[in-house]
Amino acid sequence: MKLFKLLVFTISLLFTSATVAQNGNVYLEVSGIDEIEGELSIGLFKNQETFLKKGEGVEGVYLKIEDSIVSYIFKNIPSGNYAIAIYHDENSNKELDRNFLGMPSEDYVFSNYASGSFSPPSFEDAMFTLTDSIKIELNINE
């Protein structure tokens, strides 16, 4: 009887662990930074509703720029669809500065090099799927 209970318990654990979503890391490398000053603002977003909304991403960081290449790891992220938005905050004011026409005057890039016509890209255009760990390399000047 004890063996039967142990077997049932073990089998139920196998099915439970198979349905639990895996977590992974997003290894990000941003190159092409022209001016070694200010900060790099990096946001990881989960859906269209929160995409590009300050403070509503899965995780966001400001990293001091000390080289023309900046690396960061988003750790222990659940499997799913995500998008990344990055801009070079040259004057460290925590805002993407714009010119008189409303166009960004600081460098920026999105995952998949997504772009929009006279507006930011959609979440779907910038989206990638995380099933395990992934490395994403982006050049901020492309």
Side-chain angles (χ1 to χ4, degrees), residues 24-28 74 128-136:
N25 296 331
V26 178
Y27 298 91
L28 179 64
F74 292 104
F128 62 92
T129 301
L130 179 68
T131 56
D132 196 3
S133 292
I134 188 172
K135 182 174 184 179
I136 296 176

Side-chain angles (χ1 to χ4, degrees), residues 5-100:
K5 286 182 181 180
L6 181 60
L7 183 61
V8 170
F9 177 74
T10 304
I11 291 172
S12 68
L13 277 179
L14 288 174
F15 284 113
T16 304
S17 63
T19 60
V20 174
Q22 275 191 301
N23 290 351
N25 296 331
V26 178
Y27 298 91
L28 179 64
E29 184 177 283
V30 182
S31 61
I33 300 169
D34 291 335
E35 301 295 325
I36 311 303
E37 63 185 18
E39 300 171 319
L40 206 60
S41 171
I42 305 172
L44 178 67
F45 299 89
K46 180 84 172 133
N47 55 48
Q48 182 66 44
E49 291 75 37
T50 61
F51 188 52
L52 303 181
K53 293 184 180 170
K54 197 171 190 171
E56 293 192 30
V58 172
E59 187 176 337
V61 294
Y62 287 95
L63 303 174
K64 183 175 174 154
I65 295 177
E66 297 175 341
D67 198 350
S68 63
I69 297 175
V70 173
S71 298
Y72 186 75
I73 302 172
F74 292 104
K75 296 180 181 176
N76 203 28
I77 304 298
S79 297
N81 295 325
Y82 295 91
I84 294 175
I86 301 168
Y87 72 91
H88 181 178
D89 187 8
E90 292 180 30
N91 56 6
S92 299
N93 68 350
K94 308 280 193 260
E95 296 291 331
L96 177 61
D97 294 336
R98 300 174 184 278
N99 64 19
F100 70 96

